Amino acid sequence: TNQGFDSYFGLPYSNDMSIAKEIALSDDLKLDPRWTRKRLERDLKVYETDYRSMKDIMPLMRGEEIIEYPTDQSQLTKRYTHEAVRFIERNKEKPFFLYLPHTMPHTPIFVDERFKDSSGVSLYCDSIQEIDWSVGRVLNSLRENNLAEKTLVLFCSDNGPANREDKPGGSSAGPFRGHKFDTFEGGHRVSCIVWAPGLIEEGTESDAITSTLDLFPTIAHLAGIPLPTDRVYDSYNLAPLLTGQTDTSPRKEMFFYRANSTELDGVRIGDWKFLHRGSHRNRDKKPASPMLFHLSTDPGEQTNLAEENPEKVEELLARMKAFDEAITTE
C-alpha cells in the first residue's frame, strides 16, 4: 500500500520466510486452532533470535494487517483467484489495474486437494495446473463482464528457474545457460504472453528484446496517461510492437547487475552480450573472466568469443561504464 496500491491481499513476502516482528494484527484475526493470540505475540518476539524455527509459517494480510495466521498455503492460489475475480466485478464500470503475482510455484509448493497429482508428473507441475485454472477463471471473468476488448492482460515470470532441478520447485531453463540469480540467459530470459482481443492479433510472436521495466510506459500509453517529463526513464513504450505497428523493439540494449549487488556484470546490445562473471555465486577473489557471446547463433552461451573479438569487448565495456556512471541515486 505504500507503493501506490489502493488495496492488498496476500502474503507480505516469499512463502519460505517468516513473520516480521513489526507487523500489525487485525482485531478479527483468524488463528489456526494450534495458535492463540498470546502465542502469536510470542512468535513475533522469537523472530528476533530464532528465525529458522518459524520458517514457512506465513501470515495472510489484507491491507497492512494480518487477518489469518498461519495461513493454509494450499488454498492461496484459489483464494487469490477468487479475490481477483471479485475485484474485477467490483470495478468493471471504471478503469482498474490488477496485479496478481501467485505465490506458487515458489517453494515450498502447495496445491488445492483437487489439483494434487493432476499433472501426473510432480507437485511443481500440479501447481502449474492450478495456475492455469486461475488464469482461465480471470479471463472468463473479463469476458463475462464485457471487459475482454477493454483490457490488456500480461502473463510472465519474474525470473528463470531455481537451481534445483532434482528438487520440488527446481526446473530447467531449457536451451539457456544458468538459473535464477544468474546474469546468463537462463536467469532472466522468460516468455511473456499478452492478451488483448481487438488490439493484439491472435497468434503473433516476437523475439525482440523487451523487459518488465517496459510495462510501465506501455500501460500508461494504452491507458492514455501522460508520464511526467521531469525525469529520465529506464523503460520504453512497447505498444507499437505489441499491436503490430512495428516488428522491432525500442529497447536495443539491456544491462545486467549481479543479484543483491550494485555491481554491473554485463550488457546485451543487439545479439552481442558481454559478461564479467555471469553469476552472483562466484564470490572468489579471482580476476573477472570476460565472456562474449553472440546470441543469435549461440543462445545457450557456450562459445566464448572474447579473445577473438577484443574490439567488441572494449566497445561493450565502454558502454557499460558510461551507463553505470550516468546512474544517480538519492
Side-chain angles (χ1 to χ4, degrees):
T1 54
N2 63 358
Q3 299 297 327
F5 286 94
D6 297 314
S7 61
Y8 177 78
F9 177 80
L11 309 184
Y13 25 68
S14 295
N15 66 328
D16 60 348
M17 298 182 182
S18 63
I19 195 166
K21 62 182 179 178
E22 302 90 355
I23 215 157
L25 310 179
S26 67
D27 293 334
D28 57 350
L29 171 65
K30 178 184 177 183
L31 287 168
D32 182 285
R34 297 169 295 167
W35 264 262
T36 63
R37 199 175 185 95
K38 185 175 182 179
R39 178 178 176 181
L40 174 53
E41 290 170 350
R42 178 196 67 83
D43 283 354
L44 295 175
K45 295 179 180 178
V46 169
Y47 172 85
E48 298 183 53
T49 57
D50 191 12
Y51 165 84
R52 291 293 174 183
S53 70
M54 297 168 56
K55 191 171 168 58
D56 306 342
I57 302 175
M58 297 301 302
L60 182 68
M61 301 185 70
R62 185 177 293 283
E64 298 183 7
E65 294 183 331
I66 297 176
I67 61 169
E68 184 176 300
Y69 183 82
T71 190
D72 181 354
Q73 293 201 48
S74 70
Q75 300 302 296
L76 285 179
T77 300
K78 180 169 67 176
R79 292 176 75 174
Y80 288 175
T81 305
H82 292 166
E83 189 82 10
V85 169
R86 286 194 293 269
F87 176 87
I88 291 170
E89 292 172 346
R90 287 197 308 269
N91 293 278
K92 61 184 178 182
E93 301 297 335
K94 58 185 179 181
F96 62 78
F97 175 77
L98 171 65
Y99 177 47
L100 176 56
H102 279 293
T103 296
M104 307 306 151
H106 196 280
T107 54
I109 300 174
F110 298 87
V111 296
D112 183 69
E113 189 65 33
R114 71 188 179 114
F115 285 97
K116 283 185 177 179
D117 302 317
S118 61
S119 68
V121 179
S122 65
L123 184 61
Y124 178 92
C125 292
D126 293 345
S127 72
I128 300 302
Q129 294 272 95
E130 188 169 16
I131 290 173
D132 181 65
W133 161 83
S134 171
V135 173
R137 185 68 192 91
V138 171
L139 295 184
N140 283 340
S141 176
L142 293 173
R143 296 186 184 101
E144 292 162 2
N145 288 285
N146 299 314
L147 296 173
E149 295 192 358
K150 300 178 183 178
T151 309
L152 175 75
V153 178
L154 298 112
F155 181 93
C156 64
S157 177
D158 58 346
N159 49 248
N163 189 17
R164 297 185 299 271
E165 294 185 30
D166 59 336
K167 298 179 182 179
S171 58
S172 168
F176 304 120
R177 180 178 179 179
H179 296 82
K180 176 180 178 179
F181 291 121
D182 288 344
T183 49
F184 289 120
E185 294 294 282
H188 57 81
R189 188 193 286 207
V190 297
S191 57
C192 177
I193 302 171
V194 188
W195 184 86
L199 180 66
I200 298 176
E201 185 178 351
E202 181 179 356
T204 56
E205 297 182 5
S206 174
D207 61 359
I209 303 174
T210 59
S211 168
T212 48
L213 293 171
D214 302 325
L215 299 186
F216 170 57
T218 303
I219 293 171
H221 172 82
L222 292 173
I225 302 171
L227 299 181
T229 58
D230 61 346
R231 64 205 65 185
V232 176
Y233 293 95
D234 58 357
S235 50
Y236 301 88
N237 174 19
L238 301 178
L241 175 66
L242 296 178
T243 57
Q245 298 174 46
T246 179
D247 59 1
T248 60
S249 171
R251 177 176 290 281
K252 306 302 181 185
E253 58 189 17
M254 194 72 207
F255 295 90
F256 307 103
Y257 282 81
R258 298 176 70 188
N260 305 314
S261 169
T262 59
E263 181 183 348
L264 184 57
D265 188 52
V267 62
R268 174 182 175 179
I269 300 180
D271 286 323
W272 286 103
K273 181 176 177 182
F274 173 82
L275 294 176
H276 279 301
R277 287 190 176 90
S279 171
H280 83 302
R281 297 185 182 89
N282 187 348
R283 300 179 184 278
D284 57 40
K285 302 300 182 181
K286 297 178 181 178
S289 301
M291 290 176 281
L292 181 69
F293 306 105
H294 197 270
L295 297 179
S296 67
T297 56
D298 181 26
E301 297 170 291
Q302 298 299 311
T303 305
N304 188 352
L305 304 174
E307 288 190 9
E308 57 195 84
N309 292 275
E311 292 182 358
K312 178 60 68 173
V313 169
E314 289 302 314
E315 173 192 334
L316 298 181
L317 275 171
R319 182 68 191 98
M320 285 172 58
K321 184 175 185 293
F323 176 82
D324 204 35
E325 291 177 349
I327 291 177
T328 59
T329 58
E330 296 181 0

